[in-house]
Amino acid sequence: MATLKEWKPEFTARYYAGFYTSGPMLTGGARIDEKRTLSLFVAQGDTYIDHAPGDLYSICAGVSFRRYWHIGRSKSFSFYSDLYIGAGYIYKISGKYHKNATTGEQKKVIDDSVGDVLLMGGWQPGIRARCYKNLHLFFGPTIATNCL
């Protein structure tokens, strides 16, 4: 294992886009060695609730761990796996109530409220491709609590 003096800073700027969730995510941490990174993250999320229809807007923060499996000697391509856990704060909701067109009655269709704190955890497996020096593109799915 690498000593603390050998750790190097690593930062990522991402935009995740899925069927129901999208938003920017920034990570900053330390590359422990060529295969592992520990970091903190902050993210802004927009989760679409299709049965409402409506959106939950949140700010999230937490910790993440990334593991690489390099392909070839040049390390231009790697498989990676990100695990993360944190909390999200709902700051805005649209479509919380649905108005019945015939009766005019308003029905609550989203149980969450502004100010609620949500547990956020996920796994992002995929492939990383080097574009230029230390500029990489990451491609893969997100399997997470805010995507369900």
Side-chain angles (χ1 to χ4, degrees):
M1 183 160 176
T3 64
L4 285 175
K5 290 181 180 180
E6 297 171 358
W7 288 20
K8 296 179 182 173
E10 182 171 294
F11 299 95
T12 62
R14 315 175 193 190
Y15 190 85
Y16 59 95
F19 295 112
Y20 302 106
T21 305
S22 64
M25 182 180 212
L26 301 172
T27 67
R31 189 174 341 137
I32 299 168
D33 55 28
E34 291 295 317
K35 297 179 180 180
R36 296 172 295 165
T37 300
L38 288 172
S39 60
L40 300 174
F41 75 85
V42 293
Q44 187 274 332
D46 174 2
T47 303
Y48 178 70
I49 310 295
D50 63 344
H51 74 273
D55 289 279
L56 296 177
Y57 299 93
S58 61
I59 298 291
C60 308
V63 296
S64 70
F65 174 76
R66 179 177 300 135
R67 172 71 162 91
Y68 296 107
W69 291 272
H70 300 294
I71 302 168
R73 291 180 185 249
S74 68
K75 300 177 185 173
S76 293
F77 293 94
S78 302
F79 291 109
Y80 73 92
S81 175
D82 273 358
L83 293 171
Y84 61 90
I85 190 164
Y89 172 80
I90 298 174
Y91 68 88
K92 180 181 172 185
I93 297 176
S94 68
K96 183 175 177 95
Y97 296 95
H98 178 71
K99 185 175 182 178
N100 187 323
T102 56
T103 65
E105 178 185 351
Q106 291 223 357
K107 180 181 174 189
K108 183 176 169 183
V109 289
I110 297 177
D111 291 330
D112 296 308
S113 298
V114 171
D116 284 356
V117 176
L118 308 170
L119 178 65
M120 184 176 156
W123 176 46
Q124 295 177 330
I127 189 161
R128 177 191 77 170
R130 181 186 326 228
C131 296
Y132 176 76
K133 292 188 180 182
N134 202 22
L135 178 64
H136 301 92
L137 292 177
F138 293 80
F139 301 99
T142 298
I143 302 162
T145 56
N146 61 334
C147 296
L148 300 175

